[in-house]
C-alpha cells in the first residue's frame, strides 16, 4: 500500500490498529503520524525508538487507558525486528504477541528505514495481517511531483510548479525536499516559493552538479563546460573519472536510442529509469552512427590514459572537443 493511499483510507474509514511503514523516504514516517493525528481522534503522538527503548514502553502505553480519555497514537521507529540484520529476543517476542492481538481502538505505527523486509520472520508475517505501507524513493518524475505537491499542500506551503520541479531536481528525495520547506517559506516571506528561491537556497548535490555538467557537454555548451571544470576538480573529481562518467553517459544514450520500452531497458541495464530517460532525450539529437563513433572516442580516451599514452587532462579535453564538435554538427543539420 502506498503511504498516501493509507492516509486517504484512514480518513475515510478511520485508522487501523497497526501500520508498518518501511522504505528509504524516512521523512514520510513522521508526516504520516502527524496526518493521522490531524484527521482523527488521536490527541498527540508518543514516539519511541526500538533500538534504544525496545517495545515494552510502547506496549505499556498501548495497554494503558487515560482517565481523561486521551488516546495518543504510539509510534515506534527503527524496528530492526523486521530486517535480516536485526536480532531476535524478548522485544521481538513482545512485538509479535502484540501483533497477534492488538489493543482495540488504539493505533500503533511501526517504521523501519529499509525498502525490503525479512519475509521469513514471524513478526513480518504477523504485520502483514495489518497495514504494510511502502515508502520508496519515487522512480518516475511525474509520480514524485504529484507526491511532493501533496506534501506541500498538507503543510500549507505555497510553491510554484516550476519551483517544485527544481526542488525535486536538486534533492531527488521527498524527505530532503520536505526538509527545505521551512527555509524556503521563510525566505519567500509570505509569497509563493519561486524557482529562483530554490536555486538560491537549495544546494545541488555533488552528483547533481556532475549530471548538469554532462548535460551541458552533450548539448555542446562548450564555454559552460570548460568553465565548470575547475569547480568539479575542487569537488574531488579528477580528469579520468570525468572521462569515465562521460563514457557511461554516451553508452546509455546509445542503449536508449530507439528503445521501445525504456523502463524495461533500464531494468535490463541496472540503471535508474530517470537516467535512461534523460539519455534517450539527448540521444534523439544524434544519429545512431554518430553515437557509435562517440562511444569509440570515449573508449579510446580511457584506453590511452590507462596505457600512459595521454595525460588524463589532455585526453579529457580532446574528448570534450570531439563531443562539442559532434553536437555542433547535429545542431547545424537540424537548422
Amino acid at each position: 500500500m502506498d503511504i498516501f493511499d493509507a492516509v486517504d483510507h484512514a480518513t475515510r474509514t478511520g485508522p487501523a490498529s497497526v501500520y508498518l511503514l518501511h522504505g528509504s523516504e524516512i521523512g514520510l514516517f513522521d508526516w504520516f503520524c502527524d496526518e493521522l493525528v490531524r484527521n482523527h481522534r488521536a490527541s498527540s503522538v508518543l514516539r519511541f525508538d526500538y533500538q534504544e527503548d525496545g517495545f515494552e514502553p510502547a506496549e505499556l502505553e498501548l495497554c494503558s487507558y487515560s482517565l481523561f480519555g486521551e488516546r495518543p497514537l504510539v509510534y515506534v521507529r527503527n524496528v530492526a525486528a523486521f530486517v535480516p540484520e536485526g536480532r531476535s529476543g524478548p522485544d521481538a517476542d513482545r512485538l509479535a504477541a502484540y501483533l497477534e492481538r492488538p489493543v482495540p481502538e488504539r493505533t500503533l505505527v511501526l517504521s523501519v528505514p529499509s525498502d525490503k523486509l525479512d519475509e521469513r520472520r514471524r513478526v513480518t508475517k504477523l504485520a502483514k495481517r495489518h497495514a504494510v505501507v511502502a515508502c520508496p524513493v519515487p522512480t518516475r518524475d511525474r509520480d514524485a511531483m504529484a507526491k511532493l505537491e501533496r506534501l506541500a499542500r498538507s503543510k500549507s506551503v505555497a510553491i510554484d510548479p516550476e519551483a517544485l520541479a527544481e526542488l525535486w531536481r536538486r534533492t531527488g528525495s521527498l524527505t530532503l525536499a520536505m526538509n527545505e520547506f521551512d527555509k524556503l517559506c521563510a525566505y519567500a516571506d509570505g509569497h509563493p516559493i519561486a524557482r529562483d528561491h530554490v536555486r538560491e537556497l537549495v544546494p545541488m548535490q555533488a552528483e547533481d552538479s556532475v549530471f548538469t555538467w554532462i548535460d551541458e557537454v552533450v548539448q555542446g555548451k562548450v564555454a559552460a563546460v570548460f568553465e565548470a571544470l575547475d569547480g568539479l576538480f575542487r569537488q574531488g573529481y579528477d580528469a579520468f573519472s570525468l572521462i569515465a562518467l562521460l563514457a557511461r553517459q554516451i553508452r546509455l544514450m546509445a542503449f536508449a536510442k530507439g528503445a521501445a520500452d525504456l523502463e524495461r531497458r533500464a531494468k535490463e541495464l541496472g540503471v535508474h529509469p530517470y537516467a535512461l530517460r534523460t539519455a534517450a532525450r539527448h540521444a534523439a539529437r544524434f544519429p545512431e552512427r554518430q553515437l557509435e563513433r562517440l562511444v569509440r572516442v570515449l573508449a579510446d580516451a580511457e584506453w590511452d590514459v590507462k596505457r600512459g599514452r595521454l595525460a588524463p587532462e589532455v585526453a579529457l579535453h580532446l574528448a570534450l572537443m570531439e563531443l562539442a564538435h559532434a553536437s555542433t554538427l547535429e545542431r547545424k543539420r537540424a537548422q
Side-chain angles (χ1 to χ4, degrees):
M1 183 187 297
D2 177 84
I3 194 166
F4 299 95
D5 294 335
V7 169
D8 292 339
H9 185 268
T11 301
R12 292 193 304 269
T13 64
S17 298
V18 178
Y19 291 96
L20 171 58
L21 313 180
H22 71 97
S24 303
E25 291 286 12
I26 59 176
L28 296 182
F29 300 162
D30 283 298
W31 174 82
F32 178 80
C33 294
D34 293 339
E35 285 294 290
L36 290 188
V37 169
R38 187 166 67 90
N39 295 325
H40 301 287
R41 292 178 296 172
S43 57
S44 59
V45 181
L46 287 179
R47 291 176 166 84
F48 301 92
D49 191 300
Y50 186 87
Q51 299 285 65
E52 297 178 5
D53 309 316
F55 184 65
E56 185 176 4
E59 183 184 29
L60 288 174
E61 174 58 40
L62 288 162
C63 296
S64 301
Y65 289 90
S66 170
L67 295 175
F68 302 101
E70 294 182 352
R71 295 194 175 187
L73 179 147
V74 176
Y75 170 41
V76 184
R77 61 165 65 90
N78 297 323
V79 188
F82 293 103
V83 293
E85 59 271 21
R87 291 179 296 178
S88 300
D91 284 307
D93 294 337
R94 279 180 175 276
L95 176 57
Y98 185 85
L99 291 174
E100 283 191 300
R101 291 188 177 181
V103 176
E105 298 185 7
R106 297 300 302 271
T107 298
L108 168 65
V109 178
L110 306 165
S111 75
V112 52
S114 172
D115 287 319
K116 292 186 178 180
L117 303 175
D118 190 341
E119 304 289 342
R120 301 166 299 175
R121 294 197 171 220
R122 180 166 174 256
V123 287
T124 304
K125 294 174 182 177
L126 290 169
K128 289 198 167 185
R129 297 179 183 177
H130 305 283
V132 178
V133 181
C135 307
V137 176
T139 56
R140 295 174 181 266
D141 293 343
R142 181 176 55 192
D143 295 340
M145 291 296 296
K147 292 176 179 179
L148 198 52
E149 184 178 8
R150 173 160 179 179
L151 289 170
R153 192 167 59 248
S154 71
K155 291 180 170 291
S156 301
V157 173
I159 181 168
D160 295 338
E162 288 186 353
L164 207 62
E166 183 68 17
L167 182 60
W168 173 249
R169 191 178 74 82
R170 287 174 177 259
T171 58
S173 158
L174 299 177
T175 299
L176 294 177
M178 289 168 67
N179 291 339
E180 300 290 344
F181 279 158
D182 289 341
K183 178 174 65 177
L184 289 166
C185 285
Y187 190 72
D189 194 23
H191 299 286
I193 297 168
R195 187 176 183 179
D196 287 343
H197 298 150
V198 176
R199 286 177 169 174
E200 289 179 37
L201 295 186
V202 181
M204 294 178 72
Q205 305 296 317
E207 294 82 1
D208 196 17
S209 61
V210 172
F211 182 84
T212 302
W213 180 76
I214 292 173
D215 197 45
E216 291 173 338
V217 171
V218 296
Q219 291 183 62
K221 298 180 179 178
V222 181
V225 166
F226 281 96
E227 285 176 6
L229 273 181
D230 286 340
L232 292 174
F233 291 148
R234 285 195 298 271
Q235 288 178 18
Y237 292 93
D238 56 57
F240 186 70
S241 66
L242 292 177
I243 292 172
L245 288 170
L246 284 174
R248 177 181 181 275
Q249 184 65 14
I250 297 300
R251 285 195 298 270
L252 279 181
M253 289 166 61
F255 282 127
K257 184 76 173 177
D261 189 338
L262 289 175
E263 298 293 326
R264 187 175 65 182
R265 180 62 62 87
K267 289 181 181 179
E268 292 172 353
L269 297 174
V271 300
H272 197 286
Y274 176 75
L276 198 63
R277 286 197 298 272
T278 302
R281 189 176 71 248
H282 291 323
R285 303 172 61 246
F286 297 90
E288 190 170 343
R289 187 172 298 178
Q290 182 72 280
L291 282 176
E292 291 174 358
R293 194 182 74 80
L294 292 176
V295 168
R296 290 196 298 271
V297 166
L298 271 301
D300 289 344
E302 288 185 287
W303 180 250
D304 287 340
V305 173
K306 289 178 180 178
R307 298 288 291 178
R309 293 173 179 170
L310 288 175
E313 292 78 8
V314 174
L316 174 61
H317 281 72
L318 291 174
L320 289 175
M321 295 308 297
E322 285 279 359
L323 288 165
H325 179 63
S327 180
T328 302
L329 282 179
E330 295 312 315
R331 207 160 45 234
K332 287 180 178 178
R333 287 175 184 170
Q335 290 173 353

